[in-house]
Amino acid sequence: MNVFRCSDGFYITGNDLELCSLARTLEAAKLDPYWNGEGDTLILDDDEHPQDKVISFLKAYFELRNLDYEITGDSA
């Protein structure tokens, strides 16, 4: 999984099945993710959630699922 962190949120790419699973988990956590127009990138705005808490959530999710991940971008 690849996470690009920028000033307005997170852009997440990776395996289609894992992205769908992550999307359902983020929805359950009330983080309101959405898909880009092509449906290959999961986007998570951080308007209502501090980036450090979102990044901690994502790291915990990836580690619990034993997924390889890389976080890049602003303040990664």
Side-chain angles (χ1 to χ4, degrees):
M1 304 288 279
N2 297 302
V3 178
F4 180 75
R5 181 179 183 178
C6 60
S7 61
D8 62 344
F10 300 88
Y11 297 82
I12 307 165
T13 59
N15 173 286
D16 289 347
L17 292 175
E18 289 299 338
L19 279 176
C20 288
S21 177
L22 175 59
R24 287 190 301 271
T25 301
L26 292 170
E27 288 168 355
K30 306 292 186 211
L31 293 176
D32 303 321
Y34 59 95
W35 296 97
N36 70 340
E38 292 80 35
D40 61 355
T41 301
L42 189 60
I43 302 170
L44 180 59
D45 289 336
D46 65 346
D47 295 337
E48 298 177 26
H49 310 286
Q51 278 201 357
D52 59 335
K53 292 189 188 257
V54 172
I55 213 69
S56 294
F57 181 91
L58 290 171
K59 285 180 179 180
Y61 175 86
F62 295 144
E63 289 171 10
L64 285 171
R65 303 231 353 143
N66 200 27
L67 298 171
D68 291 329
Y69 67 93
E70 181 178 9
I71 300 170
T72 59
D74 300 345
S75 306

